[in-house]
Amino acid sequence: MQNSKLRLEAAKVHAKAGRPDEAIALYEAVLEENPEVTAAYIGIASILLERNEVEAAEDYFNGALHVARNPAPVLCRIAMAAERMADTERAASLYQQSLQEDPGFSRARERLCRLYIDADDLTAAEQLMRDALASDLATIRSRLLLAQVLSRQGQLNEAIDVLEHITEDGEDTVRAQRLKGALMLRVGRAEEAADVFAQVAEMSDEKPIAEFQRGQALLQIGDFRAAKRAFQAALARSPGLFEARLGLARCHLRSGNTSAAKHILVALSQGQRGLHRVLFLLAEVFAAEGHFQQAAVQLDAGFLHAPHAMLESAGLLDIAAGSSLDKEKTLTCLKAIGDLDDAY
């Protein structure tokens, strides 16, 4: 038995170090000594799955299933193999069996929820996660999934409530806080969102992103000076952060410094990322200066690069395909673009 334990530990080391053949040999030696060691079957199956030898992997997972005291994790792994083979119906059935064996097995519940989301069965996904909450079985990741489902259903305040009162440390907590802040921005709770992003900046390695998001919230509040500092803090740590540079340009524009905004946007227009957004904001800068002809030129250029769905959502398809823009049409376009939730 002691030899088996030592071999198992050594096999794990080999597998992590990228020596799969040596790991398999040790796992097989364990099974020769004791054919009822679940971890050895799972170890071999996991390596085979990484090699995309899915059928062979499933044979070993089935071997583990016959000897496992708790079959739930093994059923979950077989479901993951079924997912790899694009057999989502079978995968869903196996995840459900895993949860029947162990209702508290969060990994199976969360993967099943993702299958429901991918199939656009948001009702089933929501119910699955709500059952976990009601039974006090929800992890932070479960709350994140439920919040994402509620957000996709347009239940933004309910999604925020699900993410409240999370106090644990860790990567999932950071993701939950960031999502909560983003949702607060969408429902107009910008001051609370700014506080949330400030907390994220303190607790996360993703400080530039959190500072950028805090800048967005402060910009929405109208605190341009604080927003400018937040965007600059983001750029100090990540000079190439496109969103922060765009945010800083918008901050300059809102505070009346059109020349500073223009300087940033002209530089950004030399690249390809988010070019329609840069051009539309540059059009707004020219309009703010009273140069409507130049604004119209930038809008026309932005129309060429903007996604069809965005123009359709803003009701701009006809204008984009029509004749040259005059002052009135230019202002109409800028307002329609500014009203879009994801225009920026």
Side-chain angles (χ1 to χ4, degrees):
M1 181 64 71
Q2 187 65 30
N3 285 340
S4 292
K5 289 182 178 179
L6 292 173
R7 286 187 180 122
L8 283 174
E9 291 302 319
K12 290 176 184 176
V13 171
H14 281 303
K16 287 182 179 179
R19 297 186 292 271
D21 293 332
E22 290 88 337
I24 288 175
L26 284 168
Y27 283 131
E28 287 176 338
V30 171
L31 291 174
E32 286 177 10
E33 183 178 298
N34 182 357
E36 295 192 359
V37 179
T38 306
Y41 287 106
I42 290 176
I44 295 173
S46 298
I47 292 171
L48 294 173
L49 197 58
E50 284 295 317
R51 291 175 170 175
N52 213 31
E53 299 176 30
V54 182
E55 291 183 5
E58 190 162 338
D59 287 340
Y60 276 95
F61 281 137
N62 283 325
L65 193 59
H66 288 301
V67 298
R69 293 181 180 179
N70 178 9
V74 184
L75 286 165
C76 183
R77 288 174 181 269
I78 299 173
M80 291 165 65
E83 278 195 78
R84 184 75 66 93
M85 297 177 73
D87 191 348
T88 54
E89 186 174 340
R90 180 166 175 259
S93 177
L94 286 162
Y95 287 133
Q96 289 164 351
Q97 291 177 47
S98 177
L99 288 170
Q100 288 171 0
E101 294 288 342
D102 183 359
F105 190 38
S106 59
R107 187 178 189 187
R109 179 178 290 101
E110 289 156 6
R111 293 194 72 95
L112 178 59
C113 181
R114 288 191 177 94
L115 281 184
Y116 287 148
I117 292 172
D118 290 342
D120 207 29
D121 190 350
L122 300 181
T123 301
E126 179 183 351
Q127 189 59 54
L128 187 66
M129 292 297 103
R130 286 201 181 278
D131 289 345
L133 280 176
S135 305
D136 201 26
L137 297 173
T139 63
I140 296 175
R141 197 166 296 176
S142 298
R143 289 178 177 273
L144 265 168
L145 283 168
L146 178 55
Q148 289 164 4
V149 169
L150 292 170
S151 175
R152 288 181 58 170
Q153 293 174 316
Q155 303 176 54
L156 304 186
N157 284 308
E158 291 86 343
I160 293 169
D161 290 342
V162 167
L163 298 173
E164 294 285 10
H165 311 304
I166 295 175
T167 57
E168 298 92 332
D169 293 329
E171 183 178 336
D172 287 334
T173 298
V174 171
R175 291 176 59 208
Q177 291 292 90
R178 284 187 56 193
L179 178 58
K180 183 171 73 173
L183 292 170
M184 285 176 167
L185 268 182
R186 289 176 62 185
V187 298
R189 295 163 59 179
E191 291 188 23
E192 293 171 86
D195 291 339
V196 169
F197 291 131
Q199 294 170 18
V200 174
E202 291 299 322
M203 66 192 295
S204 169
D205 291 335
E206 300 178 1
K207 190 175 180 67
I209 301 296
E211 288 288 5
F212 151 69
Q213 290 176 311
R214 189 168 74 91
Q216 281 187 310
L218 292 165
L219 190 58
Q220 192 175 112
I221 296 166
D223 190 344
F224 303 129
R225 183 175 296 180
K228 179 181 174 182
R229 288 198 298 268
F231 290 131
Q232 288 172 333
L235 290 169
R237 290 175 174 268
S238 183
L241 189 58
F242 170 83
E243 297 291 349
R245 294 174 71 190
L246 201 64
L248 184 58
R250 188 171 291 108
C251 191
H252 284 311
L253 171 60
R254 298 290 181 265
S255 58
N257 191 350
T258 56
S259 60
K262 193 185 301 181
H263 178 77
I264 294 170
L265 293 169
V266 168
L268 288 176
S269 69
Q270 305 307 308
Q272 292 300 313
R273 183 175 177 185
L275 189 53
H276 64 286
R277 297 168 65 195
V278 175
L279 294 169
F280 286 150
L281 190 56
L282 196 52
E284 191 175 343
V285 171
F286 280 120
E289 293 177 335
H291 303 314
F292 292 101
Q293 186 173 351
Q294 292 95 322
V297 170
Q298 299 303 322
L299 278 174
D300 280 333
F303 290 151
L304 293 175
H305 295 278
H308 182 279
M310 176 185 173
L311 296 177
E312 184 177 30
S313 177
L316 295 175
L317 281 180
D318 291 340
I319 295 179
S323 57
S324 298
L325 298 171
D326 56 20
K327 177 179 176 180
E328 184 178 344
K329 283 185 179 179
T330 297
L331 292 173
T332 299
C333 290
L334 289 173
K335 184 178 187 311
I337 292 167
D339 287 342
L340 275 182
D341 284 341
D342 352 83
Y344 302 126

